[in-house]
């Protein structure tokens, strides 16, 4: 890990020289190349284009960053020194809670798992149940069952009520026509006999009601 850390350190030191704020150099040339490179992108977002920090605030931020880095170097040298990885046991014995926190990476993975991962799984499971029970179950399958039930009722009503009435009218007409057809023989003497029987029946009914 030594060589990658040295490369990162060189990059960190070198990157600072391409973003020196104006006013912090001892000559008139503006060496803040990073600012000019990002200016076309940052200016439309910020409106004014400049952040407006004073030179004293920028010096305070730089010195504070350097102080934090130096403090980290001194603490690491004090705790580990030349012992390297062998000092991990001593560090864990002196500061077990800090060692546990660092070993668990501040529990970021556990927090991510309980919030994002489990939350995503829970949301996906809830959406799956909603799709299966509401969309597919109630709306799609419910509409299908309702359509089939309405079709069955409509078919039953059409077959036994509408067609039944039509067939009943046809049957009555056919049966009545057969009965009346037997009475229409075309014989005049039979018609006269029926007429005479009707007159006798009316006269008899007249005397009975009188």
């Amino acid at each position: 890990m030594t060589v990658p850390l040295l490369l990162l350190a060189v990059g960190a030191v070198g990157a600072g020289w391409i973003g020196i704020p104006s006013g912090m150099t001892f000559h008139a040339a503006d060496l803040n190349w990073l600012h000019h490179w990002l200016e076309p992108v940052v200016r439309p977002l910020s409106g004014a284009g400049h952040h407006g920090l004073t030179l004293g605030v920028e010096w305070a931020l730089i010195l504070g960053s350097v102080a934090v880095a130096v403090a980290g170097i001194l603490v690491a040298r004090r705790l580990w020194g030349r012992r390297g990885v062998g000092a991990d046991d001593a560090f864990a014995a002196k500061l077990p809670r800090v060692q546990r926190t660092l070993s668990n990476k501040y529990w970021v993975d556990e927090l991510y798992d309980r919030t994002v991962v489990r939350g995503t799984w829970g949301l996906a499971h809830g959406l799956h149940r909603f799709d299966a029970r509401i969309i597919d179950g109630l709306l799609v399958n419910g509409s299908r069952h309702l359509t089939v039930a309405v079709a069955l009722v409509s078919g039953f009503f059409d077959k036994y009520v509408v067609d039944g009435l039509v067939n009943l009218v046809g049957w009555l007409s056919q049966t009545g026509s057969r009965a009346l057809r037997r009475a229409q023989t075309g014989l005049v003497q039979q018609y006269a006999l029926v007429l005479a029987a009707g007159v006798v029946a009316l006269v008899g009914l007249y005397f009975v009601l009188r």
Side-chain angles (χ1 to χ4, degrees), residues 42-151:
V42 178
R43 183 182 295 274
L45 298 177
S46 60
H50 299 284
H51 48 69
L53 295 179
T54 62
L55 185 61
V57 174
E58 293 191 0
W59 270 111
L61 293 175
I62 293 174
L63 294 176
S65 301
V66 174
V68 171
V70 172
I73 294 173
L74 295 177
V75 171
R77 187 176 180 84
R78 176 67 180 275
L79 294 176
W80 279 269
R82 296 181 179 274
R83 293 175 294 176
V85 182
D88 289 343
D89 296 334
F91 178 77
K94 292 180 181 180
L95 301 172
R97 295 183 179 179
V98 177
Q99 193 273 340
R100 189 182 304 110
T101 302
L102 295 176
S103 298
N104 289 280
K105 302 177 293 296
Y106 304 99
W107 290 279
V108 174
D109 294 338
E110 289 77 6
L111 179 62
Y112 183 82
D113 178 72
R114 293 185 179 182
T115 55
V116 178
V117 176
R118 296 187 183 181
T120 302
W121 275 107
L123 179 61
H125 183 67
L127 292 177
H128 172 71
R129 296 180 63 182
F130 179 80
D131 179 71
R133 296 184 178 182
I134 303 300
I135 303 299
D136 292 340
L138 181 61
L139 297 181
V140 178
N141 295 333
S143 299
R144 180 181 66 86
H145 295 327
L146 181 61
T147 303
V148 172
V150 171

Side-chain angles (χ1 to χ4, degrees), residues 20-35:
I20 300 177
S22 59
M24 298 186 65
T25 57
F26 297 99
H27 47 81
D30 189 359
L31 301 178
N32 196 347
W33 301 328
L34 183 63
H35 171 75

Side-chain angles (χ1 to χ4, degrees), residues 6 23 44 53 71 77 82 102 105 112 129 132-133 153 160 162 168 180-181 183 199-200 210:
L6 290 175
L53 295 179
R77 187 176 180 84
R82 296 181 179 274
L102 295 176
K105 302 177 293 296
Y112 183 82
R129 296 180 63 182
R133 296 184 178 182
V153 174
Y160 294 99
V162 177
L168 178 62
L180 293 177
R181 184 178 58 185
V199 171
V200 172
R210 184 178 179 185

Side-chain angles (χ1 to χ4, degrees), residues 147-160:
T147 303
V148 172
V150 171
L152 291 176
V153 174
S154 177
F156 179 84
F157 181 81
D158 181 71
K159 181 178 180 180
Y160 294 99

